[in-house]
Amino acid sequence: MRSHIIILLCLVLSSCVNYAGIHGNSKPLDNGMLNTSYSTDHYQKISANTADWWLIYRDPQLNKLINTALKDSPSLQIAQSRLSAARHIAEAAGSRLWPQVDATGSIQRERLTENTFFPPPFGGNSYTETNVGLNFNWELDFFGKNRAIIAARTNEARAAQAEVAEARLILAAAVASDYFNLQLERISLKIFADIVKQRKEMLGIIKVQAKHGIASDIPITTASAELQVAQETIAQLQEQYQITIHKLAALVGMNPFIAELKVNHFSYNKNIFRLPKVIPANFLARRPDIIASRWRMEAAAAQVKAAKARFYPNVNLIALWSYQSFILSKAFDSASRDSYFGAAIDLPIFDAGRRRAELATQYAEFDTAQEQYNETILNALRDTADQIATLHTLHRQEAEQVTAFKDAQKNYQLTKARYHNGINDYMSVLNSKESLYIQQNALILLQTQHLKATVAMIKALGGNYLRLEA
């Protein structure tokens, strides 16, 4: 008996198809790259929050729009469906580790011919054949093939869950960005309506001056052209305002043809988002796309393990317990009982290179997944660096524009005071007021760009936002 076991073990070890020389070629990036630093002010401590990051803007209407989008958006529902499918696939894979038991049963009426294998008295008579049984099968996962498949499916489900988070982040960021655009376009329409009113008043004064010979027709032509430009700007703003409403309506799952969206008055707080000197690695590591890519890579690695396990023997335990009879009244007699128990082994001896090709394919899939993970990290770093540069530039431009706006306010107040004292004419007041409107619109444009840049920065950080703590 012992010699038989030794012979069997030798056969098992010698029959395994060899996978020597098959390996992957990609290399992972250093996770330390996720630590990013840059020159800015120093802050003592930071904290992160990933839940409902849009609440930092303190705009109830924005909160409502984003919550509606996350509830009703078709794109998010698609991602949720993919997650559900991935989870069920993982559940199905998990069943491989457990014994499988099937119940079978059949009953049929049959007449046996007299002229074949069954002579009379069996042949020529009718019988009721019954068959009731239990089939048992258990694949013993000695080499981890099924466990590796389960790990792959589980990691794919985790990746799908991260992709749902990525879809939520992208959708919420798009809603917030378009919402801020809508606020900008709304207030710009009001500012340019005031500018049109100003220019109409200026044109009226110039026409009166020309009528009395104080001015020529040239100022009239110039003022008319400037009025036309302002009116065309309003038309363009109105068109863009409607387009933005349509985009926002589609994002929140509303019909763009009938959607009526009203936005709150523009509000701005430049300190709503602050950057520390160093962004910790765990901030970028929590980006949903990085998490999803990492789980895809882990799933591919598990598939490599499963492919390697196929080079080793496969052992199954099998059993049958049933009742079979040609006589209905004796279907469950002890004499009708049939049963057996055994083990089956599958030894890979020669497969013409099929298993080696399958393993090489899985290694190629793993290389692809790892390179995609590396690419996702590099894109995250580039995205973060771009947004940092944008925020710094906007911070500087905004400071300069605040100064220009305040100077325009002072100039308007001074011009108006000089007009009341009879030093300047009324045209000077109108010109300085229009300059104030233009500087105000430029400032609000930069402030909106700053708000949108904070949204883009939060998105680059994977939905994390930084908050100073005492």
Side-chain angles (χ1 to χ4, degrees):
M1 180 65 179
R2 182 178 298 176
S3 62
H4 292 164
I5 294 175
I6 294 174
I7 292 172
L8 179 61
L9 288 175
C10 291
L11 180 61
V12 167
L13 293 175
S14 63
S15 64
C16 294
V17 181
N18 196 310
Y19 58 77
I22 305 176
H23 54 79
N25 299 312
S26 63
K27 294 181 180 180
L29 291 178
D30 182 8
N31 286 334
M33 293 179 64
L34 293 176
N35 284 297
T36 62
S37 62
Y38 48 90
S39 177
T40 185
D41 296 335
H42 291 265
Y43 299 105
Q44 293 182 347
K45 190 177 180 182
I46 62 171
S47 64
N49 193 334
T50 58
D52 300 343
W53 53 264
W54 50 89
L55 296 178
I56 65 172
Y57 298 104
R58 298 180 182 180
D59 191 324
Q61 190 170 14
L62 175 61
N63 300 342
K64 182 178 179 180
L65 287 171
I66 291 179
N67 289 329
T68 301
L70 296 179
K71 178 182 177 182
D72 299 332
S73 171
S75 60
L76 195 56
Q77 296 301 321
I78 292 172
Q80 291 283 5
S81 298
R82 289 174 178 167
L83 171 60
S84 179
R87 284 175 172 171
H88 291 313
I89 291 173
E91 291 172 1
S95 66
R96 292 171 176 263
L97 292 180
W98 300 95
Q100 306 296 311
V101 179
D102 297 322
T104 60
S106 65
I107 182 171
Q108 60 185 21
R109 185 71 174 173
E110 181 179 4
R111 182 186 183 280
L112 298 180
T113 177
E114 300 179 30
N115 299 318
T116 56
F117 301 105
F118 303 99
F122 299 102
N125 290 318
S126 296
Y127 300 91
T128 301
E129 181 182 358
T130 59
N131 188 345
V132 178
L134 292 175
N135 295 306
F136 173 89
N137 182 70
W138 188 8
E139 182 180 354
L140 301 179
D141 193 29
F142 287 131
F143 300 100
K145 179 188 71 176
N146 291 336
R147 291 191 296 274
I149 292 174
I150 292 170
R153 299 293 181 258
T154 301
N155 290 335
E156 287 169 359
R158 290 168 176 166
Q161 186 173 8
E163 287 168 355
V164 171
E166 174 71 1
R168 285 174 54 89
L169 175 60
I170 292 173
L171 180 59
V175 171
S177 183
D178 283 339
Y179 178 80
F180 294 138
N181 278 336
L182 203 60
Q183 283 187 322
L184 169 65
E185 290 153 8
R186 179 174 179 270
I187 195 168
S188 291
L189 278 170
K190 182 179 182 302
I191 289 174
F192 272 90
D194 290 336
I195 290 175
V196 167
K197 183 179 178 181
Q198 287 280 111
R199 292 184 179 179
K200 284 182 177 179
E201 188 173 1
M202 292 171 67
L203 179 59
I205 294 173
I206 293 172
K207 285 181 177 180
V208 171
Q209 290 176 343
K211 183 179 180 179
H212 292 84
I214 301 175
S216 66
D217 292 336
I218 295 177
I220 295 178
T221 304
T222 302
S224 297
E226 291 175 348
L227 175 59
Q228 181 65 26
V229 169
Q231 289 173 334
E232 290 176 357
T233 301
I234 287 181
Q236 293 171 357
L237 284 171
Q238 287 174 337
E239 178 187 8
Q240 187 58 48
Y241 184 76
Q242 291 300 316
I243 291 174
T244 305
I245 288 179
H246 297 163
K247 288 174 59 180
L248 197 53
L251 287 172
V252 300
M254 299 172 61
N255 185 346
F257 285 99
I258 61 175
E260 294 183 4
L261 297 175
K262 295 181 180 180
V263 296
N264 291 332
H265 293 290
F266 180 80
S267 61
Y268 176 72
N269 178 6
K270 68 178 181 180
N271 295 320
I272 202 167
F273 184 91
R274 305 287 295 277
L275 284 172
K277 182 176 178 58
V278 176
I279 297 177
N282 64 329
F283 267 50
L284 288 182
R286 286 196 298 238
R287 275 179 57 132
D289 57 344
I290 290 180
I291 293 174
S293 186
R294 185 169 67 246
W295 284 125
R296 295 289 183 198
M297 182 177 66
E298 294 292 339
Q303 290 287 15
V304 169
K305 291 181 180 179
K308 284 184 176 180
R310 293 187 178 96
F311 283 77
Y312 296 100
N314 191 45
V315 180
N316 275 32
L317 296 180
I318 54 177
L320 170 68
W321 185 79
S322 67
Y323 286 93
Q324 300 179 35
S325 174
F326 278 110
I327 303 173
L328 182 60
S329 60
K330 296 183 178 182
F332 295 99
D333 287 359
S334 59
S336 301
R337 190 176 61 193
D338 182 22
S339 63
Y340 68 84
F341 175 81
I345 184 169
D346 175 22
L347 301 176
I349 297 176
F350 177 75
D351 62 1
R354 176 173 58 85
R355 285 177 174 82
R356 289 180 62 85
E358 290 174 350
L359 178 58
T361 299
Q362 293 302 328
Y363 264 121
E365 294 288 344
F366 173 75
D367 287 345
T368 299
Q370 185 155 271
E371 292 300 338
Q372 288 175 341
Y373 176 65
N374 294 343
E375 183 180 32
T376 303
I377 290 177
L378 292 175
N379 287 339
L381 292 170
R382 178 189 55 77
D383 192 11
T384 304
D386 288 348
Q387 300 310 322
I388 289 172
T390 298
L391 283 170
H392 279 303
T393 300
L394 287 172
H395 180 74
R396 183 179 65 254
Q397 291 177 334
E398 186 181 339
E400 295 171 353
Q401 187 57 40
V402 166
T403 300
F405 176 66
K406 290 181 178 179
D407 289 343
Q409 283 181 315
K410 292 179 181 178
N411 184 59
Y412 171 65
Q413 294 297 332
L414 179 61
T415 303
K416 188 166 63 172
R418 291 169 65 88
Y419 166 71
H420 288 305
N421 290 323
I423 300 174
N424 289 345
D425 59 7
Y426 189 58
M427 287 292 290
S428 299
V429 176
L430 294 178
N431 282 323
S432 63
K433 191 173 184 180
E434 180 174 327
S435 177
L436 176 61
Y437 284 144
I438 292 173
Q439 295 300 330
Q440 180 188 12
N441 189 70
L443 178 59
I444 293 173
L445 174 60
L446 285 172
Q447 290 173 342
T448 301
Q449 290 176 343
H450 185 207
L451 287 174
K452 291 169 60 179
T454 62
V455 172
M457 188 71 220
I458 292 172
K459 180 174 173 288
L461 295 174
N464 301 289
Y465 65 83
L466 311 181
R467 181 179 63 240
L468 295 183
E469 290 185 348

